[in-house]
Amino acid sequence: MSETYFAPKGGHPGQETLLTDRAVFTDAYAVIPRGTMRDIVTSFLPFWSGTRLWVLSRPLSGFAETFSQYIMEVAPEGGSDRPETDPTAEAVLFVVEGEATLTANGTEHALRAGSYVYLPPETDWRFRNDSPEHVRFHWIRKAYEAVKGLDRPSFFVTHESDVTPSAMPGTDGKWATSRFVDPADLRHDMHVTIVTFQPGAVIPFAETHVMEHGLYVLQGKAVYRLNQDWVEVEAGDYMWLRAFCPQACYAGGPGPFRYLLYKDVNRHMPLRPAGR
Protein backbone atom coordinates (compact mmCIF):
# COMPACT_ATOMS: atom_id res chain seq x y z
CA MET A 1 0.00 0.00 0.00
CA SER A 2 1.32 3.44 -0.91
CA GLU A 3 2.44 5.61 1.99
CA THR A 4 1.67 8.85 0.15
CA TYR A 5 -0.94 10.99 1.87
CA PHE A 6 -2.16 14.48 1.04
CA ALA A 7 -1.04 17.23 3.41
CA PRO A 8 -1.91 20.95 3.16
CA LYS A 9 0.85 23.52 2.67
CA GLY A 10 -1.12 26.74 3.19
CA GLY A 11 -0.39 29.82 1.09
CA HIS A 12 -3.03 31.97 -0.59
CA PRO A 13 -4.49 32.11 -4.11
CA GLY A 14 -3.65 35.16 -6.18
CA GLN A 15 -5.83 38.26 -6.34
CA GLU A 16 -6.74 37.39 -9.92
CA THR A 17 -8.51 34.22 -8.71
CA LEU A 18 -12.31 34.04 -8.66
CA LEU A 19 -14.22 32.54 -5.74
CA THR A 20 -14.80 28.99 -6.95
CA ASP A 21 -14.82 26.29 -4.30
CA ARG A 22 -16.83 23.43 -2.81
CA ALA A 23 -17.08 24.41 0.87
CA VAL A 24 -20.49 23.79 2.43
CA PHE A 25 -21.92 23.67 5.94
CA THR A 26 -25.39 22.24 6.59
CA ASP A 27 -27.37 21.01 9.58
CA ALA A 28 -26.26 17.44 8.81
CA TYR A 29 -22.72 17.70 7.40
CA ALA A 30 -19.88 19.98 6.40
CA VAL A 31 -17.36 19.70 3.58
CA ILE A 32 -14.10 21.60 4.05
CA PRO A 33 -12.18 21.46 0.75
CA ARG A 34 -8.41 21.43 0.74
CA GLY A 35 -8.44 24.81 -1.03
CA THR A 36 -9.76 26.48 2.14
CA MET A 37 -6.78 25.35 4.26
CA ARG A 38 -4.83 28.58 3.78
CA ASP A 39 -2.49 30.60 5.97
CA ILE A 40 -5.28 32.93 7.09
CA VAL A 41 -7.18 30.16 8.90
CA THR A 42 -4.28 28.61 10.82
CA SER A 43 -4.14 28.64 14.61
CA PHE A 44 -1.47 28.26 17.29
CA LEU A 45 -1.40 26.32 20.56
CA PRO A 46 0.11 27.04 23.98
CA PHE A 47 3.47 25.39 24.64
CA TRP A 48 4.08 24.46 20.98
CA SER A 49 6.99 26.12 19.16
CA GLY A 50 7.48 26.36 15.39
CA THR A 51 3.97 24.99 14.98
CA ARG A 52 0.69 25.98 13.38
CA LEU A 53 -2.48 24.00 12.78
CA TRP A 54 -5.70 23.83 10.84
CA VAL A 55 -8.72 23.05 13.03
CA LEU A 56 -10.94 20.78 10.97
CA SER A 57 -13.60 20.11 13.59
CA ARG A 58 -14.46 20.81 17.21
CA PRO A 59 -17.32 19.80 19.51
CA LEU A 60 -20.28 21.93 18.45
CA SER A 61 -23.58 21.84 20.31
CA GLY A 62 -26.37 20.45 18.12
CA PHE A 63 -23.91 19.12 15.54
CA ALA A 64 -20.99 16.72 16.18
CA GLU A 65 -20.12 16.85 19.86
CA THR A 66 -17.65 14.06 20.65
CA PHE A 67 -14.29 15.06 19.12
CA SER A 68 -11.93 17.61 17.65
CA GLN A 69 -9.52 17.11 14.76
CA TYR A 70 -6.48 19.15 13.76
CA ILE A 71 -3.85 19.03 11.04
CA MET A 72 -0.61 19.98 12.77
CA GLU A 73 2.37 21.46 10.89
CA VAL A 74 5.64 21.46 12.85
CA ALA A 75 8.73 23.18 11.43
CA PRO A 76 12.28 21.88 11.89
CA GLU A 77 13.33 22.21 15.56
CA GLY A 78 9.68 22.77 16.50
CA GLY A 79 7.48 20.76 18.83
CA SER A 80 6.32 20.68 22.42
CA ASP A 81 7.27 19.35 25.84
CA ARG A 82 3.70 19.99 27.05
CA PRO A 83 1.51 19.19 24.07
CA GLU A 84 -1.78 18.35 25.82
CA THR A 85 -3.31 20.62 28.48
CA ASP A 86 -6.51 18.62 29.09
CA PRO A 87 -5.98 15.63 31.44
CA THR A 88 -9.23 13.98 30.27
CA ALA A 89 -8.23 13.92 26.59
CA GLU A 90 -7.25 10.79 24.74
CA ALA A 91 -5.81 11.14 21.25
CA VAL A 92 -4.76 9.56 18.00
CA LEU A 93 -1.92 10.99 15.94
CA PHE A 94 -1.53 10.01 12.28
CA VAL A 95 1.47 11.29 10.34
CA VAL A 96 0.83 12.27 6.72
CA GLU A 97 4.19 13.86 5.85
CA GLY A 98 7.69 14.12 7.29
CA GLU A 99 9.49 12.63 10.28
CA ALA A 100 9.51 13.36 14.00
CA THR A 101 10.29 11.89 17.40
CA LEU A 102 7.58 11.22 19.95
CA THR A 103 8.68 10.53 23.52
CA ALA A 104 6.04 8.82 25.66
CA ASN A 105 6.54 7.58 29.21
CA GLY A 106 10.28 8.07 28.78
CA THR A 107 10.65 6.05 25.56
CA GLU A 108 11.43 7.58 22.16
CA HIS A 109 9.54 6.54 19.03
CA ALA A 110 10.54 7.53 15.49
CA LEU A 111 7.54 8.61 13.43
CA ARG A 112 7.15 8.86 9.66
CA ALA A 113 4.35 9.12 7.13
CA GLY A 114 1.88 6.36 8.00
CA SER A 115 2.75 6.22 11.71
CA TYR A 116 -0.22 5.87 14.05
CA VAL A 117 -0.11 6.70 17.76
CA TYR A 118 -2.75 6.11 20.44
CA LEU A 119 -2.39 8.28 23.56
CA PRO A 120 -4.54 7.48 26.62
CA PRO A 121 -5.51 10.30 28.98
CA GLU A 122 -2.71 11.62 31.19
CA THR A 123 0.05 10.14 29.02
CA ASP A 124 3.40 11.85 29.60
CA TRP A 125 4.41 12.64 26.02
CA ARG A 126 6.53 15.08 24.01
CA PHE A 127 6.82 15.78 20.30
CA ARG A 128 9.91 17.06 18.47
CA ASN A 129 10.80 17.61 14.81
CA ASP A 130 14.57 17.15 14.56
CA SER A 131 14.45 16.62 10.79
CA PRO A 132 15.26 19.28 8.15
CA GLU A 133 11.70 19.26 6.75
CA HIS A 134 8.25 20.09 8.11
CA VAL A 135 6.22 17.27 9.61
CA ARG A 136 2.43 17.24 9.25
CA PHE A 137 0.06 15.02 11.19
CA HIS A 138 -3.55 14.64 12.24
CA TRP A 139 -4.35 15.01 15.93
CA ILE A 140 -7.77 13.64 16.90
CA ARG A 141 -8.83 14.34 20.49
CA LYS A 142 -11.74 13.06 22.56
CA ALA A 143 -12.72 13.24 26.23
CA TYR A 144 -12.29 9.63 27.33
CA GLU A 145 -15.43 7.97 28.69
CA ALA A 146 -14.26 5.71 31.52
CA VAL A 147 -16.40 2.71 32.50
CA LYS A 148 -16.16 1.09 35.93
CA GLY A 149 -14.69 -2.39 35.52
CA LEU A 150 -12.84 -1.60 32.28
CA ASP A 151 -9.17 -0.60 32.27
CA ARG A 152 -8.01 2.33 30.20
CA PRO A 153 -6.54 1.47 26.80
CA SER A 154 -2.75 1.28 26.62
CA PHE A 155 -0.43 3.60 24.73
CA PHE A 156 0.87 2.19 21.47
CA VAL A 157 2.65 3.17 18.25
CA THR A 158 2.25 1.31 14.98
CA HIS A 159 2.34 1.95 11.24
CA GLU A 160 -0.19 1.47 8.47
CA SER A 161 2.14 -0.98 6.75
CA ASP A 162 1.89 -3.25 9.82
CA VAL A 163 -1.91 -3.49 9.57
CA THR A 164 -3.66 -5.91 7.22
CA PRO A 165 -6.83 -4.35 5.74
CA SER A 166 -10.07 -6.21 6.46
CA ALA A 167 -12.25 -6.55 3.39
CA MET A 168 -15.95 -5.82 3.71
CA PRO A 169 -17.76 -9.15 3.15
CA GLY A 170 -19.04 -9.65 -0.37
CA THR A 171 -16.90 -6.92 -1.96
CA ASP A 172 -13.95 -9.00 -3.26
CA GLY A 173 -11.62 -6.64 -1.42
CA LYS A 174 -12.85 -3.56 -3.26
CA TRP A 175 -13.92 -1.98 0.07
CA ALA A 176 -11.58 -2.56 3.00
CA THR A 177 -10.75 -1.06 6.39
CA SER A 178 -7.37 -0.87 8.10
CA ARG A 179 -8.16 -1.18 11.82
CA PHE A 180 -5.50 -0.16 14.30
CA VAL A 181 -7.58 -1.31 17.29
CA ASP A 182 -9.40 -4.61 17.78
CA PRO A 183 -13.14 -3.81 17.45
CA ALA A 184 -13.80 -6.24 20.33
CA ASP A 185 -11.60 -4.23 22.71
CA LEU A 186 -14.28 -2.33 24.63
CA ARG A 187 -11.73 -0.25 26.50
CA HIS A 188 -11.68 1.98 23.43
CA ASP A 189 -14.51 4.51 23.00
CA MET A 190 -13.35 5.73 19.61
CA HIS A 191 -11.94 4.14 16.49
CA VAL A 192 -9.70 5.86 13.96
CA THR A 193 -9.24 3.73 10.85
CA ILE A 194 -8.27 4.01 7.18
CA VAL A 195 -10.94 3.05 4.66
CA THR A 196 -9.91 2.12 1.11
CA PHE A 197 -12.12 1.84 -1.96
CA GLN A 198 -10.78 0.55 -5.24
CA PRO A 199 -11.85 2.44 -8.41
CA GLY A 200 -15.54 1.88 -9.05
CA ALA A 201 -16.26 0.52 -5.56
CA VAL A 202 -19.35 1.79 -3.76
CA ILE A 203 -21.15 1.99 -0.47
CA PRO A 204 -24.38 0.75 -2.05
CA PHE A 205 -26.78 1.96 0.66
CA ALA A 206 -27.21 5.10 2.72
CA GLU A 207 -25.52 4.39 6.05
CA THR A 208 -27.60 6.07 8.76
CA HIS A 209 -26.32 5.61 12.31
CA VAL A 210 -25.56 7.24 15.65
CA MET A 211 -21.81 7.54 15.16
CA GLU A 212 -20.28 10.94 14.41
CA HIS A 213 -17.61 11.05 11.73
CA GLY A 214 -14.59 12.98 10.60
CA LEU A 215 -13.36 11.82 7.18
CA TYR A 216 -10.12 13.24 5.78
CA VAL A 217 -9.37 12.15 2.21
CA LEU A 218 -5.81 10.83 2.07
CA GLN A 219 -5.77 9.78 -1.59
CA GLY A 220 -7.96 9.74 -4.67
CA LYS A 221 -11.40 11.14 -5.37
CA ALA A 222 -15.03 10.12 -5.08
CA VAL A 223 -18.62 11.27 -5.20
CA TYR A 224 -20.15 11.15 -1.73
CA ARG A 225 -23.86 11.12 -0.87
CA LEU A 226 -24.35 13.20 2.29
CA ASN A 227 -27.91 13.56 3.52
CA GLN A 228 -29.79 14.43 0.29
CA ASP A 229 -26.82 15.80 -1.66
CA TRP A 230 -24.13 14.37 -3.90
CA VAL A 231 -20.78 16.11 -3.34
CA GLU A 232 -17.44 15.62 -5.06
CA VAL A 233 -14.41 15.12 -2.81
CA GLU A 234 -10.71 14.64 -3.48
CA ALA A 235 -7.43 14.18 -1.60
CA GLY A 236 -7.09 16.85 1.09
CA ASP A 237 -10.83 17.42 1.58
CA TYR A 238 -12.52 16.88 4.96
CA MET A 239 -16.07 15.73 5.67
CA TRP A 240 -17.63 16.34 9.08
CA LEU A 241 -20.81 14.36 9.77
CA ARG A 242 -23.21 14.59 12.68
CA ALA A 243 -25.02 11.53 14.01
CA PHE A 244 -27.62 9.99 11.68
CA CYS A 245 -26.47 11.84 8.56
CA PRO A 246 -27.16 9.42 5.65
CA GLN A 247 -23.95 8.64 3.77
CA ALA A 248 -22.82 6.60 0.78
CA CYS A 249 -20.13 6.94 -1.90
CA TYR A 250 -18.84 5.97 -5.32
CA ALA A 251 -15.07 5.83 -5.83
CA GLY A 252 -14.18 7.56 -9.08
CA GLY A 253 -10.65 6.34 -9.81
CA PRO A 254 -8.26 6.15 -11.54
CA GLY A 255 -6.52 5.12 -8.28
CA PRO A 256 -7.81 4.03 -4.87
CA PHE A 257 -9.95 6.38 -2.79
CA ARG A 258 -8.74 6.40 0.83
CA TYR A 259 -9.69 8.35 3.92
CA LEU A 260 -8.85 8.60 7.61
CA LEU A 261 -12.07 7.95 9.55
CA TYR A 262 -13.05 8.86 13.12
CA LYS A 263 -16.09 7.41 14.86
CA ASP A 264 -17.30 7.16 18.46
CA VAL A 265 -18.07 3.60 19.64
CA ASN A 266 -18.68 1.20 22.53
CA ARG A 267 -20.52 3.38 25.03
CA HIS A 268 -24.10 3.86 26.26
CA MET A 269 -25.95 6.88 24.95
CA PRO A 270 -26.17 9.69 27.56
CA LEU A 271 -29.72 9.99 28.90
CA ARG A 272 -29.40 13.50 30.31
CA PRO A 273 -27.35 16.60 29.52
CA ALA A 274 -23.83 16.62 30.93
CA GLY A 275 -23.64 17.97 34.49
CA ARG A 276 -27.23 17.17 35.48
Side-chain angles (χ1 to χ4, degrees):
M1 184 64 65
S2 170
E3 295 173 13
T4 299
Y5 315 100
F6 188 92
K9 302 298 192 298
H12 288 129
Q15 290 291 295
E16 72 283 359
T17 303
L18 289 174
L19 174 60
T20 304
D21 216 327
R22 296 169 288 109
V24 61
F25 188 91
T26 74
D27 291 341
Y29 71 89
V31 176
I32 304 175
R34 69 187 194 185
T36 68
M37 298 178 201
R38 302 293 186 174
D39 294 350
I40 197 171
V41 295
T42 55
S43 299
F44 303 94
L45 290 176
F47 313 116
W48 282 82
S49 65
T51 300
R52 65 178 185 172
L53 65 147
W54 288 272
V55 177
L56 298 178
S57 57
R58 51 159 289 181
L60 186 64
S61 179
F63 193 71
E65 302 181 347
T66 61
F67 74 109
S68 67
Q69 185 163 348
Y70 312 150
I71 299 179
M72 304 288 289
E73 180 183 82
V74 184
E77 301 183 5
S80 178
D81 292 330
R82 188 184 170 189
E84 178 59 76
T85 57
D86 184 346
T88 72
E90 62 180 330
V92 164
L93 312 182
F94 184 77
V95 181
V96 289
E97 190 171 69
E99 299 177 352
T101 301
L102 179 131
T103 303
N105 303 320
T107 302
E108 289 189 355
H109 302 270
L111 306 182
R112 58 186 173 90
S115 290
Y116 181 107
V117 182
Y118 175 74
L119 296 158
E122 300 183 291
T123 300
D124 178 17
W125 65 286
R126 295 166 177 79
F127 191 96
R128 184 63 51 186
N129 180 8
D130 295 321
S131 77
E133 304 293 338
H134 285 71
V135 60
R136 297 175 176 89
F137 65 95
H138 287 257
W139 184 0
I140 299 171
R141 302 167 66 245
K142 182 182 184 295
Y144 182 66
E145 298 177 55
V147 175
K148 187 176 181 179
L150 287 179
D151 294 332
R152 284 182 178 179
S154 302
F155 164 84
F156 70 89
V157 178
T158 187
H159 192 275
E160 188 195 354
S161 61
D162 297 326
V163 177
T164 300
S166 299
M168 187 66 69
T171 66
D172 295 324
K174 295 177 182 178
W175 173 7
T177 301
S178 299
R179 296 186 173 93
F180 299 91
V181 169
D182 182 352
D185 186 348
L186 297 186
R187 297 176 303 166
H188 287 273
D189 65 353
M190 71 171 179
H191 287 166
V192 178
T193 63
I194 293 177
V195 180
T196 300
F197 291 91
Q198 299 303 320
V202 299
I203 299 178
F205 64 99
E207 293 186 40
T208 308
H209 52 66
V210 72
M211 291 174 286
E212 297 177 350
H213 280 336
L215 301 90
Y216 178 84
V217 183
L218 298 167
Q219 295 175 331
K221 64 180 186 291
V223 181
Y224 234 92
R225 177 67 180 262
L226 299 175
N227 202 13
Q228 299 177 3
D229 308 318
W230 286 100
V231 299
E232 294 178 299
V233 293
E234 63 178 341
D237 292 350
Y238 182 72
M239 291 172 279
W240 188 19
L241 279 56
R242 68 179 295 174
F244 300 110
C245 175
Q247 56 202 265
C249 83
Y250 175 88
F257 172 63
R258 312 185 69 225
Y259 54 80
L260 186 71
L261 171 69
Y262 161 88
K263 60 183 177 181
D264 51 309
V265 296
N266 298 340
R267 292 296 184 266
H268 278 295
M269 300 299 103
L271 298 181
R272 61 188 63 83
R276 293 188 183 179

